[in-house]
Amino acid sequence: MDKGNTKQEILEAALELFSVQGFEATSISRIADAVGIRKASLYSHFENKQAILDALVKEVLEQYAAHSIFARADWENDAGTKGKQVLTPDAAAQMILEQIRYILHDPYVSKSRKMLVMEQFQNPELAKLQTKQNYTDVMHYFTGLMQYLIRHGALVEDDPEIMAAQLCLPISTWINLCDREPEREAEVMELVERHMQQFFKVYQPEAR
């Protein structure tokens, strides 16, 4: 078996197990069994379970930086829209819906998020990562979006941080609900869409 592929298979098996039963409850032997290799073979790739977790965290950060709109937006420079059509509330809502579908359906992102939720109370490093990805960066993104839409006259001027919280925190709750009860995704996506429609309607300039 190719060594590089085996290393990736170890990471994928570990992520699956960590996201279901947690880091402490997952043994090296269990990871090796899931991959179909001997424990001694696993140690030729990673010196211990912590090294596997460290590699997973590195991959989580790389995937997050590459694919999350929350990590990549630059609202100070109009989110890269200079010289292009100004982003509208409707277009912003579609971007948000696409991002929600991505984080719900991408297996790596979904399992990583569940792992962080489980481990945040056990591991200070993962607690910081959980706060960064699921609160700090999200609030920063949505606050920037509010400032952008206010700046371009699409929304009335108000407290952009409070507006961001009003828009994004219910969505975070619904994403958590989908993680626990995936069969409710259609219901949740409808709620998210209605929520955004009402939010943008309330803050439209002509509504005041």
Side-chain angles (χ1 to χ4, degrees), residues 152-170:
H152 288 283
L155 298 180
V156 297
E157 187 155 355
D158 211 316
D159 185 328
E161 188 172 13
I162 296 303
M163 292 167 71
Q166 290 170 340
L167 180 58
C168 76
L169 296 185

PDB file of all heavy atoms in Angstrom, residues 152-170:
ATOM      1  N   HIS A 152     -22.821  50.936   0.704  1.00  0.00           N
ATOM      2  CA  HIS A 152     -23.341  51.037  -0.662  1.00  0.00           C
ATOM      3  C   HIS A 152     -24.837  51.363  -0.707  1.00  0.00           C
ATOM      4  O   HIS A 152     -25.456  51.297  -1.766  1.00  0.00           O
ATOM      5  CB  HIS A 152     -23.060  49.748  -1.427  1.00  0.00           C
ATOM      6  CG  HIS A 152     -21.601  49.592  -1.778  1.00  0.00           C
ATOM      7  ND1 HIS A 152     -20.996  50.271  -2.798  1.00  0.00           N
ATOM      8  CD2 HIS A 152     -20.635  48.845  -1.200  1.00  0.00           C
ATOM      9  CE1 HIS A 152     -19.715  49.955  -2.852  1.00  0.00           C
ATOM     10  NE2 HIS A 152     -19.462  49.091  -1.897  1.00  0.00           N
ATOM     11  N   GLY A 153     -25.408  51.730   0.442  1.00  0.00           N
ATOM     12  CA  GLY A 153     -26.789  52.170   0.476  1.00  0.00           C
ATOM     13  C   GLY A 153     -27.829  51.077   0.365  1.00  0.00           C
ATOM     14  O   GLY A 153     -29.023  51.362   0.194  1.00  0.00           O
ATOM     15  N   ALA A 154     -27.416  49.802   0.474  1.00  0.00           N
ATOM     16  CA  ALA A 154     -28.368  48.693   0.360  1.00  0.00           C
ATOM     17  C   ALA A 154     -29.108  48.446   1.670  1.00  0.00           C
ATOM     18  O   ALA A 154     -30.197  47.867   1.662  1.00  0.00           O
ATOM     19  CB  ALA A 154     -27.651  47.419  -0.074  1.00  0.00           C
ATOM     20  N   LEU A 155     -28.508  48.870   2.790  1.00  0.00           N
ATOM     21  CA  LEU A 155     -29.135  48.746   4.102  1.00  0.00           C
ATOM     22  C   LEU A 155     -29.043  50.083   4.828  1.00  0.00           C
ATOM     23  O   LEU A 155     -28.128  50.877   4.569  1.00  0.00           O
ATOM     24  CB  LEU A 155     -28.435  47.667   4.952  1.00  0.00           C
ATOM     25  CG  LEU A 155     -28.448  46.231   4.429  1.00  0.00           C
ATOM     26  CD1 LEU A 155     -27.701  45.319   5.398  1.00  0.00           C
ATOM     27  CD2 LEU A 155     -29.867  45.722   4.196  1.00  0.00           C
ATOM     28  N   VAL A 156     -29.973  50.315   5.741  1.00  0.00           N
ATOM     29  CA  VAL A 156     -29.932  51.551   6.530  1.00  0.00           C
ATOM     30  C   VAL A 156     -28.741  51.506   7.477  1.00  0.00           C
ATOM     31  O   VAL A 156     -28.254  50.435   7.847  1.00  0.00           O
ATOM     32  CB  VAL A 156     -31.229  51.741   7.342  1.00  0.00           C
ATOM     33  CG1 VAL A 156     -32.426  51.894   6.426  1.00  0.00           C
ATOM     34  CG2 VAL A 156     -31.437  50.601   8.322  1.00  0.00           C
ATOM     35  N   GLU A 157     -28.281  52.672   7.906  1.00  0.00           N
ATOM     36  CA  GLU A 157     -27.152  52.721   8.829  1.00  0.00           C
ATOM     37  C   GLU A 157     -27.627  52.395  10.231  1.00  0.00           C
ATOM     38  O   GLU A 157     -28.596  52.959  10.734  1.00  0.00           O
ATOM     39  CB  GLU A 157     -26.489  54.102   8.786  1.00  0.00           C
ATOM     40  CG  GLU A 157     -25.222  54.148   9.586  1.00  0.00           C
ATOM     41  CD  GLU A 157     -24.278  55.235   9.096  1.00  0.00           C
ATOM     42  OE1 GLU A 157     -24.582  55.886   8.082  1.00  0.00           O
ATOM     43  OE2 GLU A 157     -23.238  55.409   9.743  1.00  0.00           O
ATOM     44  N   ASP A 158     -26.969  51.433  10.833  1.00  0.00           N
ATOM     45  CA  ASP A 158     -27.286  51.006  12.198  1.00  0.00           C
ATOM     46  C   ASP A 158     -26.015  50.354  12.747  1.00  0.00           C
ATOM     47  O   ASP A 158     -24.967  50.410  12.111  1.00  0.00           O
ATOM     48  CB  ASP A 158     -28.479  50.030  12.193  1.00  0.00           C
ATOM     49  CG  ASP A 158     -29.314  50.150  13.467  1.00  0.00           C
ATOM     50  OD1 ASP A 158     -28.701  50.232  14.547  1.00  0.00           O
ATOM     51  OD2 ASP A 158     -30.556  50.165  13.371  1.00  0.00           O
ATOM     52  N   ASP A 159     -26.108  49.744  13.909  1.00  0.00           N
ATOM     53  CA  ASP A 159     -24.939  49.101  14.534  1.00  0.00           C
ATOM     54  C   ASP A 159     -24.607  47.825  13.750  1.00  0.00           C
ATOM     55  O   ASP A 159     -25.325  46.823  13.854  1.00  0.00           O
ATOM     56  CB  ASP A 159     -25.263  48.775  15.991  1.00  0.00           C
ATOM     57  CG  ASP A 159     -24.067  48.212  16.746  1.00  0.00           C
ATOM     58  OD1 ASP A 159     -23.230  47.520  16.128  1.00  0.00           O
ATOM     59  OD2 ASP A 159     -23.971  48.439  17.961  1.00  0.00           O
ATOM     60  N   PRO A 160     -23.530  47.814  12.962  1.00  0.00           N
ATOM     61  CA  PRO A 160     -23.268  46.659  12.091  1.00  0.00           C
ATOM     62  C   PRO A 160     -22.972  45.375  12.863  1.00  0.00           C
ATOM     63  O   PRO A 160     -23.300  44.288  12.390  1.00  0.00           O
ATOM     64  CB  PRO A 160     -22.062  47.099  11.252  1.00  0.00           C
ATOM     65  CG  PRO A 160     -21.434  48.210  12.019  1.00  0.00           C
ATOM     66  CD  PRO A 160     -22.539  48.891  12.770  1.00  0.00           C
ATOM     67  N   GLU A 161     -22.376  45.489  14.041  1.00  0.00           N
ATOM     68  CA  GLU A 161     -22.069  44.274  14.810  1.00  0.00           C
ATOM     69  C   GLU A 161     -23.342  43.620  15.340  1.00  0.00           C
ATOM     70  O   GLU A 161     -23.485  42.392  15.292  1.00  0.00           O
ATOM     71  CB  GLU A 161     -21.120  44.602  15.967  1.00  0.00           C
ATOM     72  CG  GLU A 161     -20.606  43.365  16.675  1.00  0.00           C
ATOM     73  CD  GLU A 161     -19.535  43.667  17.693  1.00  0.00           C
ATOM     74  OE1 GLU A 161     -19.356  44.851  18.046  1.00  0.00           O
ATOM     75  OE2 GLU A 161     -18.873  42.716  18.153  1.00  0.00           O
ATOM     76  N   ILE A 162     -24.279  44.447  15.805  1.00  0.00           N
ATOM     77  CA  ILE A 162     -25.558  43.912  16.286  1.00  0.00           C
ATOM     78  C   ILE A 162     -26.363  43.355  15.113  1.00  0.00           C
ATOM     79  O   ILE A 162     -26.993  42.291  15.216  1.00  0.00           O
ATOM     80  CB  ILE A 162     -26.361  44.986  17.041  1.00  0.00           C
ATOM     81  CG1 ILE A 162     -25.601  45.428  18.308  1.00  0.00           C
ATOM     82  CG2 ILE A 162     -27.748  44.460  17.417  1.00  0.00           C
ATOM     83  CD1 ILE A 162     -25.269  44.302  19.269  1.00  0.00           C
ATOM     84  N   MET A 163     -26.337  44.047  13.987  1.00  0.00           N
ATOM     85  CA  MET A 163     -27.011  43.530  12.794  1.00  0.00           C
ATOM     86  C   MET A 163     -26.425  42.171  12.398  1.00  0.00           C
ATOM     87  O   MET A 163     -27.159  41.235  12.054  1.00  0.00           O
ATOM     88  CB  MET A 163     -26.862  44.517  11.638  1.00  0.00           C
ATOM     89  CG  MET A 163     -27.604  45.829  11.828  1.00  0.00           C
ATOM     90  SD  MET A 163     -27.102  47.095  10.620  1.00  0.00           S
ATOM     91  CE  MET A 163     -27.837  46.438   9.120  1.00  0.00           C
ATOM     92  N   ALA A 164     -25.088  42.066  12.448  1.00  0.00           N
ATOM     93  CA  ALA A 164     -24.430  40.801  12.110  1.00  0.00           C
ATOM     94  C   ALA A 164     -24.884  39.688  13.036  1.00  0.00           C
ATOM     95  O   ALA A 164     -25.180  38.572  12.591  1.00  0.00           O
ATOM     96  CB  ALA A 164     -22.910  40.972  12.186  1.00  0.00           C
ATOM     97  N   ALA A 165     -24.944  39.984  14.336  1.00  0.00           N
ATOM     98  CA  ALA A 165     -25.387  38.973  15.307  1.00  0.00           C
ATOM     99  C   ALA A 165     -26.819  38.551  15.030  1.00  0.00           C
ATOM    100  O   ALA A 165     -27.157  37.356  15.099  1.00  0.00           O
ATOM    101  CB  ALA A 165     -25.247  39.521  16.726  1.00  0.00           C
ATOM    102  N   GLN A 166     -27.679  39.519  14.723  1.00  0.00           N
ATOM    103  CA  GLN A 166     -29.071  39.197  14.426  1.00  0.00           C
ATOM    104  C   GLN A 166     -29.190  38.274  13.221  1.00  0.00           C
ATOM    105  O   GLN A 166     -30.049  37.388  13.189  1.00  0.00           O
ATOM    106  CB  GLN A 166     -29.860  40.496  14.164  1.00  0.00           C
ATOM    107  CG  GLN A 166     -30.066  41.347  15.408  1.00  0.00           C
ATOM    108  CD  GLN A 166     -30.636  42.719  15.074  1.00  0.00           C
ATOM    109  OE1 GLN A 166     -30.555  43.188  13.938  1.00  0.00           O
ATOM    110  NE2 GLN A 166     -31.214  43.371  16.065  1.00  0.00           N
ATOM    111  N   LEU A 167     -28.321  38.474  12.223  1.00  0.00           N
ATOM    112  CA  LEU A 167     -28.395  37.669  11.011  1.00  0.00           C
ATOM    113  C   LEU A 167     -27.744  36.300  11.177  1.00  0.00           C
ATOM    114  O   LEU A 167     -28.326  35.276  10.822  1.00  0.00           O
ATOM    115  CB  LEU A 167     -27.729  38.422   9.844  1.00  0.00           C
ATOM    116  CG  LEU A 167     -27.722  37.704   8.491  1.00  0.00           C
ATOM    117  CD1 LEU A 167     -29.151  37.359   8.042  1.00  0.00           C
ATOM    118  CD2 LEU A 167     -27.032  38.545   7.440  1.00  0.00           C
ATOM    119  N   CYS A 168     -26.535  36.252  11.745  1.00  0.00           N
ATOM    120  CA  CYS A 168     -25.766  35.006  11.666  1.00  0.00           C
ATOM    121  C   CYS A 168     -25.948  34.044  12.831  1.00  0.00           C
ATOM    122  O   CYS A 168     -25.829  32.825  12.639  1.00  0.00           O
ATOM    123  CB  CYS A 168     -24.283  35.315  11.483  1.00  0.00           C
ATOM    124  SG  CYS A 168     -23.424  35.881  12.962  1.00  0.00           S
ATOM    125  N   LEU A 169     -26.233  34.538  14.031  1.00  0.00           N
ATOM    126  CA  LEU A 169     -26.275  33.614  15.171  1.00  0.00           C
ATOM    127  C   LEU A 169     -27.442  32.624  15.108  1.00  0.00           C
ATOM    128  O   LEU A 169     -27.254  31.443  15.434  1.00  0.00           O
ATOM    129  CB  LEU A 169     -26.254  34.393  16.485  1.00  0.00           C
ATOM    130  CG  LEU A 169     -24.961  35.189  16.721  1.00  0.00           C
ATOM    131  CD1 LEU A 169     -24.957  35.842  18.095  1.00  0.00           C
ATOM    132  CD2 LEU A 169     -23.721  34.317  16.540  1.00  0.00           C
ATOM    133  N   PRO A 170     -28.635  33.035  14.657  1.00  0.00           N
ATOM    134  CA  PRO A 170     -29.674  32.013  14.454  1.00  0.00           C
ATOM    135  C   PRO A 170     -29.266  30.968  13.422  1.00  0.00           C
ATOM    136  O   PRO A 170     -29.576  29.786  13.571  1.00  0.00           O
ATOM    137  CB  PRO A 170     -30.882  32.827  13.973  1.00  0.00           C
ATOM    138  CG  PRO A 170     -30.664  34.194  14.518  1.00  0.00           C
ATOM    139  CD  PRO A 170     -29.175  34.395  14.446  1.00  0.00           C
TER     140      PRO A 170
END
